[in-house]
Amino acid sequence: MNNSNRRLLSLTKYIWLIIFVVSLVLANYAKMWSKSLDVNWIMKYPRGWILPIKSYVGSFMDWLINDATFGFFTFKELTRAIAWGLEIPLTFATNFFATGYMDGVGSHAVQLFPPISWLAVIIVIVAIGHYARSWSLALFAGTCFLYLAVFGQWTSAMVTLSSIVIAVPFGVLGGVFLGIASYRWEKFEKVLSPLLDLMQTVPIFAYLVPILFLFGFGPVAAMIATIIYAMPPMVRVTIHALHNVPSEILDFGYMTGCTRRQIIWKILVPNAMPGLMVGVNQVIMLSLNMVIIASMIGAGGLGYDVLASLRRLDIGAGLEAGLAIVALALALDRLSQAYAIRFHRMAHDEDKNFIKRHIWSLTSLAAIFSASLVGSKLDYIQSYPDAWVLTTADFWEESIRFLNVNYFDQFDAVKTFMLVNFMMPVKRFLLGMPWGWVCLLLTFAGWQLGGLRLSLLCLILSLFIVITGQWEKAMITVYLCGVSVCIAGFFGVLLGILASENDWANRIVQGFIDTLQTLPSFVYLIPVVMLFRVGDFAAMIAVILYALAPAARYTTHGLRQIDPALIEAGVVSGCTKRQLLWKIKLPLALPEIMLGLNQTVMLALSMLVITALVGTRDLGQEVYISLTKADTGRGLVAGLSVAFIAIIVDRLINAAAKKTRRN
């Protein structure tokens, strides 16, 4: 770094120090000054200036549902036709896995054929695991599915699996086709990219309101929400995988006279298949992440069980259903990852005969047929017997009761200390600053980190939040997210440092992080509410647990990828372990650490919408209320406000990370 850059950096630090001092003064005195000078609009955006975007969106949705026509069909008829088309495969899958094939409706229905036997499903899963990788994976996946049966979650798990089995192919195919279109037409990618950003940053709840309007209440609407939520990563992975196909292979295709269609389907897609399988894995995991939220509009299955338990504060049943989702997620995650790797060696199977190539497919068919035949005579083969079911519900209930009885005072003391000394001061600081000053700060930060384009983006997005009347709730969202991210980032970076320094610690930390990432977001709320009651503190704890993982992962990755020669140079120059960490390793890993904090912010914002269920008063609650009232305009405006906060933070942190790399 030359002298001019050092002087500029020093000047920038002084400017931000002055800005911080001015912000402190404004936070404490701006409200008083605005009252004395009779300029209250400085603190609170006047209602008369608020643009009625909510009502515009609501009116548009009413027109779309009731009056819009496309040829001979109304828009409502079109959406219902789409829902009917998706209902056919979903009903088939549900019958096959969970309910069996019925004749009649309601209490008069008669079962013609039972669902697939629980034993057959486990055998098929074991066969898939062995085919994909090894006996160890087969045993792991089989054990996960056996857990579902042993702990009484089988029927609900099969309802969930039915939805996943149908939603994932639609999400994958839609993502692949959009990715191919983006690869072929650069203008299309430029239009699609901001839409994908919005789809990935708008809170999941916000999807549910318009989908409820357009497709009604039920499993089909829930599956459509799942497809929309899970598709964006597949699009991005497809674009990336296609661009990574070696140019030599493409040149060979053009030399042999392939058409554009043949280039796509005969050369690009087959060669990009390993990368595309990574996208399939992401679609599966995001679909499972939607299980509980989609149950709010009729999905059923394990998600409904967790949601019902949360409403009853039944911690035992909620955790058992949540752990069942984890077991299902772990099994499907490991199997899909193994298939992604297997695509590299598929060519070696071509010289085998038919039976050797399809031995596990034939085994699976034989298991299904045999289990169906024997299950008609032996009930315990067809359905897992109730007498064999185990439960840990009482254990979890007693554990929480023990903690509440014996350590309530300690928990309450920690909660009070954090609220009084940390959380409330931050909340007062953010709510005390004038909205114009905050918009100006964001604009200046954008200009200083990324130039004019980023500063204009920050200004426009922040002004949208102001003119739609969401400012106060947005500041509460920023307060909860900021406090949670600071704590999650602190502990995440500590865990990442620990994992990077010691292989044994790395295995423990990775196992802990994997567990946190596979637990459904709603599951965090049940024990937290039981221990700390509803409120901001309970929401903060749930957000910290949910958002901790990226900070730890990226820190570990950043520290482990440092060139060993640089570390060796530090050792040779006489640095202690502490000096190596603070003077060499952490500065070099800082860009990756910042990206990890960026992901932590994204997860924290997505979790805040869910924590509206435990009494927060932020934008998340606004989105949740809009869902309960089916108010599309209110939900979309609040959802866009959350998304714009996420986009501002994402762009600023990414710009800071790039600037750090350059320096």
Side-chain angles (χ1 to χ4, degrees):
M1 185 184 294
N2 56 40
N3 291 331
S4 61
N5 284 340
R6 284 196 183 94
R7 285 195 295 270
L8 181 60
L9 183 60
S10 179
L11 179 62
T12 302
K13 288 179 180 178
Y14 282 118
I15 291 173
W16 278 109
L17 180 61
I18 294 169
I19 287 172
F20 178 71
V21 172
V22 173
S23 299
L24 281 177
V25 173
L26 289 175
N28 285 285
Y29 299 105
K31 190 172 184 179
M32 181 182 66
W33 292 340
S34 65
K35 284 184 178 179
S36 62
L37 297 173
D38 198 23
V39 284
N40 292 328
W41 58 269
I42 291 176
M43 291 301 301
K44 191 170 184 178
Y45 193 76
R47 288 188 178 182
W49 298 359
I50 294 175
L51 294 181
I53 296 177
K54 298 178 189 177
S55 60
Y56 294 159
V57 174
S59 299
F60 173 75
M61 289 300 295
D62 289 338
W63 170 81
L64 200 61
I65 295 296
N66 299 318
D67 300 321
T69 57
F70 295 88
F72 298 103
F73 299 97
T74 65
F75 187 78
K76 186 175 182 179
E77 289 171 340
L78 183 63
T79 57
R80 293 301 187 265
I82 294 171
W84 176 79
L86 291 173
E87 186 178 9
I88 295 173
L90 180 60
T91 302
F92 175 82
T94 305
N95 291 342
F96 181 76
F97 284 107
T99 62
Y101 297 90
M102 313 296 289
D103 183 24
V105 180
S107 59
H108 300 290
V110 178
Q111 190 179 70
L112 300 178
F113 298 101
I116 183 173
S117 161
W118 67 275
L119 194 58
V121 171
I122 293 176
I123 293 173
V124 170
I125 291 297
V126 169
I128 292 172
H130 185 273
Y131 174 76
R133 183 183 296 164
S134 63
W135 276 113
S136 60
L137 177 61
L139 183 62
F140 174 80
T143 302
C144 288
F145 272 74
L146 182 61
Y147 169 90
L148 303 175
V150 170
F151 286 90
Q153 305 295 325
W154 187 263
T155 301
S156 294
M158 291 302 102
V159 172
T160 297
L161 185 62
S162 305
S163 176
I164 298 299
V165 163
I166 303 301
V168 168
F170 279 106
V172 169
L173 289 175
V176 167
F177 280 111
L178 288 174
I180 290 173
S182 299
Y183 175 82
R184 288 187 61 178
W185 299 293
E186 188 176 343
K187 290 183 179 179
F188 182 77
E189 183 180 0
K190 289 181 179 178
V191 173
L192 187 64
S193 184
L195 291 177
L196 293 176
D197 288 341
L198 274 180
M199 289 175 71
Q200 290 189 285
T201 52
V202 170
I204 305 170
F205 276 108
Y207 288 113
L208 303 187
V209 185
I211 288 172
L212 195 62
F213 251 85
L214 296 175
F215 298 99
F217 182 90
V220 175
M223 188 177 71
I224 291 171
T226 301
I227 293 169
I228 293 173
Y229 174 68
M231 191 185 296
M234 190 70 216
V235 180
R236 294 193 188 279
V237 167
T238 301
I239 296 171
H240 181 72
L242 293 176
H243 279 296
N244 278 353
V245 173
S247 58
E248 296 83 0
I249 296 177
L250 280 176
D251 293 339
F252 180 77
Y254 287 120
M255 288 171 59
T256 56
C258 291
T259 63
R260 179 171 286 186
R261 179 177 296 178
Q262 289 172 328
I263 289 287
I264 292 289
W265 296 107
K266 300 292 185 181
I267 295 177
L268 280 172
V269 171
N271 282 281
M273 192 58 72
L276 297 180
M277 286 302 298
V278 175
V280 173
N281 173 260
Q282 290 297 302
V283 174
I284 291 172
M285 299 310 292
L286 288 174
S287 298
L288 283 165
N289 194 36
M290 271 292 286
V291 162
I292 301 175
I293 296 168
S295 66
M296 291 186 165
I297 57 172
L302 291 171
Y304 177 79
D305 293 346
V306 174
L307 188 61
S309 300
L310 177 62
R311 287 169 175 165
R312 300 192 308 266
L313 286 181
D314 185 352
I315 184 171
L319 283 177
E320 280 197 341
L323 290 174
I325 297 175
V326 172
L328 192 61
L330 286 173
L332 296 179
D333 176 51
R334 299 298 187 271
L335 290 172
S336 58
Q337 284 186 20
Y339 261 96
I341 296 171
R342 182 174 173 75
F343 265 90
H344 288 286
R345 61 176 195 269
M346 288 287 278
H348 297 295
D349 294 340
E350 293 179 357
D351 55 350
K352 297 178 181 178
N353 61 40
F354 178 83
I355 294 178
K356 287 184 177 180
R357 286 203 311 270
H358 301 284
I359 183 65
W360 287 110
S361 300
L362 296 173
T363 301
S364 299
L365 290 173
I368 294 171
F369 179 76
S370 302
S372 300
L373 217 65
V374 178
S376 62
K377 304 295 182 182
L378 301 174
D379 289 340
Y380 61 85
I381 298 294
Q382 175 59 43
S383 303
Y384 190 84
D386 292 338
W388 296 0
V389 171
L390 303 178
T391 180
T392 58
D394 293 339
F395 168 78
W396 297 115
E397 292 282 356
E398 287 300 320
S399 298
I400 293 295
R401 188 177 295 112
F402 173 81
L403 291 173
N404 271 323
V405 169
N406 294 280
Y407 298 100
F408 175 79
D409 291 338
Q410 288 85 344
F411 286 135
D412 195 57
V414 172
K415 173 182 172 181
T416 303
F417 175 83
M418 290 293 295
L419 282 170
V420 172
N421 296 289
F422 183 45
M423 297 179 70
M424 288 301 104
V426 174
K427 185 176 183 180
R428 285 195 297 269
F429 173 75
L430 289 172
L431 291 175
M433 283 197 296
W435 56 267
W437 176 252
V438 177
C439 292
L440 185 63
L441 285 184
L442 291 173
T443 305
F444 176 73
W447 173 78
Q448 201 259 324
L449 292 173
L452 180 62
R453 188 172 180 178
L454 181 56
S455 67
L456 287 175
L457 177 69
C458 292
L459 178 63
I460 292 169
L461 296 188
S462 58
L463 284 178
F464 173 88
I465 298 172
V466 174
I467 64 176
T468 54
Q470 303 294 324
W471 186 256
E472 185 173 340
K473 291 183 183 295
M475 286 298 99
I476 297 174
T477 300
V478 172
Y479 134 73
L480 278 172
C481 180
V483 168
S484 303
V485 167
C486 286
I487 298 174
F490 175 76
F491 285 106
V493 170
L494 281 183
L495 289 174
I497 292 171
L498 182 64
S500 68
E501 297 289 325
N502 186 290
D503 290 335
W504 178 78
N506 183 46
R507 287 193 292 270
I508 295 176
V509 169
Q510 293 303 319
F512 173 67
I513 289 172
D514 287 341
T515 302
L516 289 180
Q517 285 199 301
T518 50
L519 279 172
S521 50
F522 274 79
V523 173
Y524 293 103
L525 297 183
I526 302 173
V528 166
V529 170
M530 295 293 285
L531 292 174
F532 300 106
R533 310 299 179 262
V534 297
D536 287 359
F537 185 77
M540 183 191 73
I541 297 298
V543 172
I544 289 170
L545 291 172
Y546 185 70
L548 180 70
R553 284 196 190 281
Y554 278 81
T555 300
T556 304
H557 175 70
L559 290 171
R560 290 198 163 216
Q561 73 170 5
I562 295 172
D563 188 349
L566 295 174
I567 299 174
E568 186 65 28
V571 173
V572 171
S573 62
C575 290
T576 64
K577 283 189 175 182
R578 180 177 295 181
Q579 289 171 328
L580 279 175
L581 179 64
W582 289 100
K583 300 294 184 181
I584 297 176
K585 292 182 180 180
L586 286 177
L588 290 172
L590 187 59
E592 282 71 27
I593 294 173
M594 292 179 69
L595 292 176
L597 292 176
N598 182 20
Q599 291 301 304
T600 297
V601 172
M602 299 300 111
L603 288 180
L605 283 169
S606 67
M607 184 65 179
L608 277 175
V609 180
I610 296 168
T611 57
L613 294 170
V614 297
T616 57
R617 296 290 184 268
D618 58 349
L619 288 171
Q621 188 199 50
E622 190 77 359
V623 175
Y624 182 68
I625 290 172
S626 70
L627 176 62
T628 59
K629 294 184 176 181
D631 189 340
T632 309
R634 186 175 182 177
L636 283 179
V637 168
L640 285 173
S641 298
V642 176
F644 289 165
I645 292 172
I647 291 171
I648 290 171
V649 173
D650 174 66
R651 298 299 187 269
L652 290 177
I653 292 179
N654 280 332
K658 289 178 182 177
K659 196 169 186 179
T660 304
R661 284 197 183 96
R662 289 196 300 268
N663 293 335

